[in-house]
Amino acid sequence: MAHGRSNGSDMLPVLVVHGGAGHVPEEYQQSVLAGVRAAVREGYAILQGQGSAMDAVVAAVTLLENNPSFNAGLGSVLNAKGDVEMDAIVMDGRDLTSGAVSAVKRLANPVQLARLVMDKTIHLCLTGEGANQFAREMGVPEVPEESLITDYSRMRWKKNLAPDANLVESLMGKMGTVGAVAVDAMGNIACATSTGGLPNKMEGRVGDTACIGCGGYADNKVGAASPTGHGEAIMKVVLARLILFHMEQGCSTEVAADKALAYMKERVGGVGGVVVVDPQGGWSARFSSRQMVWAAGQQNTLHFGLHAGEHFTQSTDDPN
């Protein structure tokens, strides 16, 4: 659990990413930590080059979608039929425009299609075959279903077919949803979130990620949040927007995140985590689950951690 204090524009730009909340088996811990650090280096370099917050969060999440250690893009969990169905969202804090896709198949990078929904349509969310049809119209190549499925996801799918399997607990057995929030040098704010969803979910199930205010929210006047955890619980409390509500009441990113996560646990029994930024460059990575892998880039320093209370730092120029 970590946070950065804000004291003016010298704290900008800033990028914070997460790779899901839950429990990571020890043999995967170094790979997920390396994954979020690489995503921060990718997105933070864009911000240092005067790129936009939106470009930075999409680049960071794309890298995580391409990493088989995470439940997004390549490495997504499988639904009850054994297929991959993915959700993603982006939101631009300048004018509250957003784009999302849900239950999309055969796409390597759903977050990029979510961005196209925002940039090229009058809609906020496209689902299923309609989203895939839009992808074809935009020239986004489809990939073979098998190219998104890892041996680990296939093994977990088979295990979860057992009559006594607990799908919510199973979700917490692998790092899940990936996301990013950023403030660029101009003070503009954006978020992006992407997921393969709940293991062995019903076909057509849509979780929090594609829903504005639940799986992400960004507003230049307040900040941005990208949550991870049990989607149904996140949706019930509209977690991302709830965090920004607390920030509007004067709470820091850290206090706002902790309040909202505590409410979700107390009210609906849900656990999860979140990365948050404010317009001044304050940021937090907070979670109520056992672990959440996260990383942040600010003032040429890369911050990262996995366990509660863990906060390591290194130079953003360090390639490892």
Side-chain angles (χ1 to χ4, degrees):
M1 304 245 216
H3 58 273
R5 298 293 178 204
S6 56
N7 60 352
S9 60
D10 62 324
M11 304 301 282
L12 303 181
V14 58
L15 170 75
V16 197
V17 308
H18 67 74
H23 168 63
V24 194
E26 203 163 318
E27 62 268 29
Y28 297 107
Q29 291 182 5
Q30 290 311 309
S31 67
V32 295
L33 281 166
V36 291
R37 291 201 302 272
V40 164
R41 282 193 291 268
E42 182 93 357
Y44 190 66
I46 290 170
L47 295 174
Q48 286 181 304
Q50 301 300 304
S52 72
M54 179 58 68
D55 285 345
V57 294
V58 170
V61 168
T62 295
L63 208 67
L64 293 168
E65 288 177 335
N66 294 339
N67 186 326
S69 298
F70 301 99
N71 174 21
L74 169 63
S76 288
V77 298
L78 310 186
N79 68 11
K81 264 182 71 180
D83 296 335
V84 170
E85 289 184 315
M86 301 165 289
D87 304 338
I89 193 169
V90 298
M91 189 164 181
D92 191 328
R94 292 178 300 176
D95 53 6
L96 307 187
T97 54
S98 178
V101 293
S102 66
V104 293
K105 297 183 173 186
R106 301 179 302 279
L107 292 178
N109 298 113
V111 73
Q112 295 183 10
L113 187 61
R115 173 124 190 226
L116 286 169
V117 171
M118 179 180 73
D119 290 344
K120 304 291 185 184
T121 81
I122 58 169
H123 304 308
L124 261 65
C125 186
L126 294 178
T127 194
E129 182 49 40
N132 278 97
Q133 174 62 34
F134 173 65
R136 289 190 283 274
E137 290 168 7
M138 290 290 106
V140 177
E142 288 200 347
V143 299
E145 173 92 2
E146 286 299 317
S147 72
L148 300 172
I149 300 175
T150 61
D151 291 341
Y152 184 65
S153 293
R154 179 82 66 193
M155 176 273 292
R156 292 182 71 231
W157 172 70
K158 286 180 179 166
K159 200 172 165 184
N160 288 334
L161 292 174
D164 58 344
N166 182 324
L167 298 190
V168 175
E169 267 182 27
S170 157
L171 167 74
M172 295 304 167
K174 178 184 192 288
M175 293 332 277
T177 302
V178 302
V181 291
V183 191
D184 61 33
M186 301 294 292
N188 292 318
I189 297 176
C191 70
T193 312
S194 180
T195 190
L198 192 65
N200 294 60
K201 62 191 177 182
M202 290 176 65
E203 192 176 6
R205 177 264 190 185
V206 176
D208 66 293
T209 296
C211 301
I212 190 169
C214 300
Y217 204 82
D219 183 345
N220 274 17
K221 294 184 175 182
V222 190
S226 171
T228 171
H230 181 210
E232 279 72 8
I234 290 170
M235 293 163 90
K236 287 172 187 174
V237 301
V238 198
L239 186 63
R241 191 62 187 85
L242 180 60
I243 290 165
L244 266 63
F245 165 78
H246 288 309
M247 289 165 67
E248 285 171 323
Q249 308 308 304
C251 292
S252 67
T253 58
E254 180 187 9
V255 171
D258 287 351
K259 272 189 170 187
L261 287 168
Y263 178 74
M264 182 171 77
K265 192 169 185 179
E266 175 266 319
R267 192 70 180 85
V268 298
V271 296
V274 65
V275 290
V276 192
V277 290
D278 68 28
Q280 291 75 43
W283 60 272
S284 293
R286 309 294 292 175
F287 51 98
S288 54
S289 52
R290 282 174 66 182
Q291 296 164 332
M292 181 180 80
V293 63
W294 62 271
Q298 186 176 50
Q299 293 182 309
N300 301 311
T301 301
L302 203 159
H303 308 253
F304 60 97
L306 171 64
H307 303 277
E310 202 168 69
H311 188 158
F312 301 110
T313 59
Q314 65 186 68
S315 167
T316 50
D317 298 328
D318 185 335
N320 302 306

